[in-house]
Amino acid sequence: MSFAGLRPDLALIAQWIEPGARVLDLGCGDGVLLDVLQRERSVRGYGVEIDDAALLACMKRGVNVIQANIEKGLSMFGQGRFDVVVLSMAIQATHQTEQVLAEMSSVGAQGIVSFPNFGHWYHAVSILRGRMPVSREMPYQWYDTPNLHLSTPADFEQLLTKLGLRVLQRAFLANGKPVIAMAALRATQAIYRFARV
Amino acid sequence: MLFHSGSEPQAVPVKAERLHFSEPLELAGGGSFLGYELVYESYGRLNAERSNAILICHALNASHHVAGLNEEGELGWWDNMVGPGKPIDTERFFVIGVNNLGSCFGSTGPMSINPSTGKPWGPDFPVLTVEDWVHAQARLADRLGIVRFAAVMGGSLGGMQALAWSLLYPQRLAHCICIASTAKLSAQNIAFNEVARRAIITDPEFHGGRFYEAGVLPRRGLQVARMIGHITYLSDDVMAERFGRLLRGREAGEAYRYTYDIEFEIESYLRYQGEKFAGYFDANTYLIITRALDYFDPARAFGGDLSKALAQARCRFLVASFTTDWRFSPECSREIVQALLACDLEVSYAEINAPHGHDAFLLDNPQYHQLLRAYAQRMASNLGLAA
C-alpha cells in the first residue's frame, strides 16, 4: 500500500482509514485523498468543497464532491452515516471551529483532523524576535492569513475533551517526517483521530 | 431567452424525425392516450453497444430542437452545451432531444386533431404529468433500441424529467443530470403558474380553449403569462443591471410622460418577450405544461419523504444550481442532494456562481460548462466508452 505521492499528513490519514470505509472529506481541495483511498482502499465517500477550481479538480478526478460551506452546517450529511469525517489542514481557518468539530463527530463515527502546530519552537523564537511566524505550514503574513484559530496539540486536546470527544490516535510531523520526542515543540503538524466518549 | 450565447461557427444541420406510437399510454390522471406521435432530433452516432445515448429533456417553452441548425435556420436551445467538441460532446455521445406529448412543436398536442371528433383537441387534451412524459420517452427509447441511457439530463422542468427517470426506470439510466431544478414546486411557484393560467383562461379570445375553431388566439393572455414567467427567470440583479430605471426612448434626465403606455425599458422588454411568445406558443400547451410542473412531487407517494422516493434510484447523479436562481433556488437542489446522500447514492453537487437567475442554465458560463464537460468525461470512463 503506497500513499507516497500524498502530502505527508494526508498519507498518514490515509493509513488510518480502514478499507471499505465510508468517508466524508471536508474541505477536500482537489480530492486527492479520496481519489487515492477509492483506488487503493475501496473507500466510498464524498468530498465537500466551497472553492470552484477545487470542485472542478474533484470532478476531473472522478471524486464525488458536494459544493458547500462546511461552516453553514453539516446537517445535509445526516447523522452517523460515515465511518470517518476528515478535515485536513483547514480547521485553523474555520470561524465556527467548535461547532465544526462537534458536527464532525455527529456526522461520522470518527473524526480525523490535521492542523499546523502553532507551538513549534520556531514560532516562539520568531515571536521573541518581535515578528509573527511565517512557516511552511503557515506561509502567510499576519495581515493576509486565512488562519483564525491557531492552536497547539494541548489546546486541541483540551477542546476535544470539552466537546466530549476522546483521542483514539495522534501523530506529529516535522516537515513531513514523524516526530516522537518533544513533539509539542518540534512538530510542524499534528494529526488526531477521535470519537465520542 | 434574454442572452444569446456566442454564435457557434460550426453549427451542425439537423432534421427532426417523427415516430407514431399505437399502443395506449396509461396516464397518471386516469384513462389512457391512444395513438400519438413524438418528434425528436438526434446528434452524433449510437455506438454498436448502444451504450452512449444521452436523452435531453426540455423545459417549459423549448422543444426537441436541442442543438445544431434546423431546417428553419434556428439554433437549438442548448447548442452551447451539446454538439461536436461541446461539454456534451456529440463526437462521443449519441444525444436525443424529444418533444413532449402536449407540446405545440410537433408531437401530439392540443393543436392536433382528436380522432374521435375530427377537431383539434383543445381543452379536451388530457392533463399530463412529468411521469406521463417519461413513460412516453421510454417508449421512444424502446423504438430506438436504447435499453439503458448513458445519461438523462435536463434543466428546470427538464431536470424534473431526469429525476423522474431515475425513479421510474432505475435500470435504464447510468447517470442523471439535474440542473436548476426542484423535487417539487413551492406555493410561490404554483402561485406564479396560476396567475399565468388565469391570464390565459380569462382572455375573451380563449373561448374555453376552443379558440382554434373560433379562428382567434388568446394573445393577450399568453403575453401576460409569458411576462410573469419571464420575471421569474431573471434575477433582480440582472434586471437592475440591464434595465434599471432606464426610460424607453428618452434620456435619463428627461421628464416622465405621465402615461400608462410604456415608460420604462423593462416594460418594453417584457411586452416584446410576451408578444414574441404569443406568436409561436399554444395557450393550451401552456396550461398543460404549467400544470405538469405543479403536480410534480415524487415524495408525495412516500409521505413527503424525498429520500424514500429516491431510494428506488440506482444511477449516479450530478445536481447543479445557480446562486441567483430564485425560481428553483439552490435550496431546492440541496434538498435533492440531501435525499440522495441519505440513500447512499453517488452524487456530486455544484452551486454555480452566476448572476443571471434561473436562465443561467441556458447560458455560457465557464465554470458550469467545464463542470459538465468533466462530468461527461467521467460518464464516458464509467461506461468504458472510447475516447
Side-chain angles (χ1 to χ4, degrees):
Chain A
M1 205 71 64
S2 166
F3 302 120
L6 288 176
R7 201 175 71 200
D9 63 312
L10 294 181
L12 222 145
I13 291 169
Q15 280 165 19
W16 286 359
I17 293 175
E18 297 289 320
R22 302 254 308 121
V23 177
L24 187 67
D25 186 1
L26 304 176
C28 64
D30 63 5
V32 65
L33 177 65
L34 278 172
D35 189 15
V36 169
L37 286 172
Q38 279 171 194
R39 284 187 283 111
E40 305 273 331
R41 295 224 157 157
S42 309
V43 151
R44 295 179 309 133
Y46 310 90
V48 182
E49 185 50 64
I50 193 168
D51 180 70
D52 284 348
L55 193 85
L56 183 58
C58 289
M59 204 71 91
K60 287 181 176 168
R61 282 181 185 277
V63 165
N64 290 317
V65 61
I66 309 294
Q67 192 160 28
N69 180 350
I70 60 173
E71 300 211 60
K72 288 192 174 165
L74 302 178
S75 60
M76 181 189 251
F77 300 98
Q79 298 238 318
R81 283 209 214 108
F82 293 89
D83 298 312
V84 186
V85 183
V86 177
L87 182 64
S88 65
M89 294 301 279
I91 195 161
Q92 74 279 3
T94 57
H95 288 81
Q96 310 292 332
T97 307
E98 205 176 327
Q99 179 198 314
V100 169
L101 269 180
E103 287 200 291
M104 280 177 75
S105 63
S106 80
V107 168
Q110 294 184 5
I112 297 179
V113 168
S114 67
F115 60 90
N117 173 24
F118 195 73
H120 188 264
W121 65 266
Y122 170 78
H123 297 160
V125 170
S126 182
I127 287 168
L128 285 173
R129 283 178 179 160
R131 300 295 302 273
M132 282 297 282
V134 177
S135 62
R136 194 171 85 160
E137 270 74 26
M138 297 189 291
Y140 306 102
Q141 294 296 331
W142 65 274
Y143 49 82
D144 69 357
T145 178
N147 295 333
L148 301 164
H149 292 138
L150 293 160
S151 66
T152 66
D155 291 332
F156 186 76
E157 291 191 23
Q158 190 181 40
L159 179 58
L160 289 183
T161 305
K162 184 190 166 197
L163 292 170
L165 303 170
R166 74 194 148 91
V167 176
L168 301 174
Q169 204 167 0
R170 55 172 80 72
F172 303 98
L173 298 172
N175 300 319
K177 304 237 165 22
V179 176
I180 295 164
M182 299 181 53
L185 286 176
R186 290 174 59 219
T188 53
Q189 280 174 295
I191 303 128
Y192 281 84
R193 189 159 68 91
F194 55 88
R196 287 180 296 277
V197 171
Chain B
M1 203 188 2
L2 176 51
F3 303 89
H4 294 278
S5 50
S7 60
E8 301 294 339
Q10 76 294 33
V12 183
V14 60
K15 194 171 172 300
E17 309 281 340
R18 173 181 298 271
L19 279 176
H20 182 84
F21 297 83
S22 49
E23 57 278 48
L25 182 73
E26 302 290 325
L27 300 178
S32 59
F33 201 74
L34 284 164
Y36 55 93
E37 291 189 333
L38 292 180
V39 175
Y40 69 98
E41 286 181 3
S42 64
Y43 325 91
R45 293 183 62 165
L46 188 61
N47 63 11
E49 299 78 27
R50 298 170 187 259
S51 62
N52 68 334
I54 295 179
L55 179 67
I56 307 251
C57 305
H58 69 75
L60 205 163
N61 63 321
S63 71
H64 51 287
H65 184 38
V66 173
L69 211 54
N70 67 9
E71 287 173 317
E72 287 77 44
E74 296 157 340
L75 210 54
W77 57 269
W78 224 355
D79 192 73
N80 59 9
M81 178 69 77
V82 176
K86 308 270 173 76
I88 303 298
D89 190 350
T90 51
E91 308 274 8
R92 178 178 250 180
F93 292 103
F94 175 68
V95 179
I96 299 167
V98 57
N99 188 213
N100 283 328
L101 210 53
S103 174
C104 52
F105 296 119
S107 292
T108 302
M111 295 162 83
S112 311
I113 299 298
N114 178 352
S116 63
T117 63
K119 290 178 184 169
W121 279 96
D124 301 328
F125 199 87
V127 171
L128 297 171
T129 65
V130 167
E131 288 79 5
D132 293 333
W133 285 332
V134 167
H135 290 308
Q137 291 163 5
R139 292 191 177 173
L140 174 69
D142 293 342
R143 288 278 283 277
L144 297 176
I146 296 157
V147 175
R148 185 168 184 255
F149 283 106
V152 178
M153 76 183 276
S156 190
L157 174 57
M160 295 178 184
Q161 291 159 61
L163 204 58
W165 261 95
S166 74
L167 308 178
L168 297 174
Y169 297 100
Q171 311 298 340
R172 296 196 67 174
L173 68 166
H175 302 86
C176 171
I177 304 179
C178 181
I179 302 169
S181 193
T182 181
K184 62 173 188 296
L185 261 59
S186 67
Q188 188 191 50
N189 292 147
I190 296 171
F192 278 118
N193 282 349
E194 175 59 3
V195 174
R197 282 191 296 266
R198 293 310 297 167
I200 290 169
I201 291 170
T202 58
D203 184 327
E205 309 219 278
F206 183 63
H207 294 284
R210 299 190 196 283
F211 52 90
Y212 318 106
E213 294 150 63
V216 292
L217 286 174
R219 284 183 174 275
R220 279 165 295 174
L222 265 172
Q223 280 169 27
V224 173
R226 180 59 169 171
M227 288 166 81
I228 294 269
H230 209 95
I231 295 167
T232 70
Y233 304 149
L234 304 181
S235 69
D236 194 15
D237 284 352
V238 85
M239 247 197 213
E241 188 189 326
R242 181 156 168 172
F243 303 104
R245 294 184 55 84
L246 285 179
L247 299 176
R248 177 69 180 165
R250 292 167 97 78
E251 296 302 317
E254 280 192 73
Y256 293 147
R257 279 173 289 211
Y258 299 100
T259 165
Y260 298 112
D261 289 338
I262 289 173
E263 181 79 278
F264 295 95
E265 275 290 354
I266 182 63
E267 298 171 313
S268 165
Y269 173 77
L270 283 178
R271 285 201 202 182
Y272 169 76
Q273 291 295 332
E275 279 161 24
K276 195 171 77 168
F277 188 71
Y280 73 86
F281 208 85
D282 177 64
N284 285 309
T285 290
Y286 204 87
L287 302 184
I288 289 168
I289 298 186
T290 54
R291 219 25 163 181
L293 276 160
D294 294 352
Y295 282 137
F296 186 64
D297 183 6
R300 191 165 183 263
F302 296 86
D305 187 338
L306 184 60
S307 59
K308 283 190 181 143
L310 287 170
Q312 305 161 88
R314 293 291 172 271
C315 62
R316 296 171 160 120
F317 287 80
L318 173 63
V319 179
S321 68
F322 297 90
T323 50
T324 55
D325 184 352
W326 59 279
R327 183 182 175 89
F328 299 148
S329 68
E331 188 51 50
C332 300
S333 288
R334 281 199 292 265
E335 187 191 340
I336 296 171
V337 172
Q338 183 167 349
L340 292 169
L341 289 167
C343 295
D344 203 10
L345 287 160
E346 285 205 34
V347 53
S348 284
Y349 171 59
E351 208 163 286
I352 295 148
N353 193 358
H356 307 106
H358 189 60
D359 249 0
F361 87 89
L362 296 166
L363 304 177
D364 283 326
N365 174 307
Q367 172 74 3
Y368 171 39
H369 282 184
Q370 283 175 51
L371 284 169
L372 265 293
R373 185 181 294 277
Y375 195 76
Q377 278 166 7
R378 186 169 153 192
M379 296 194 312
S381 90
N382 288 341
L383 294 163
L385 301 180

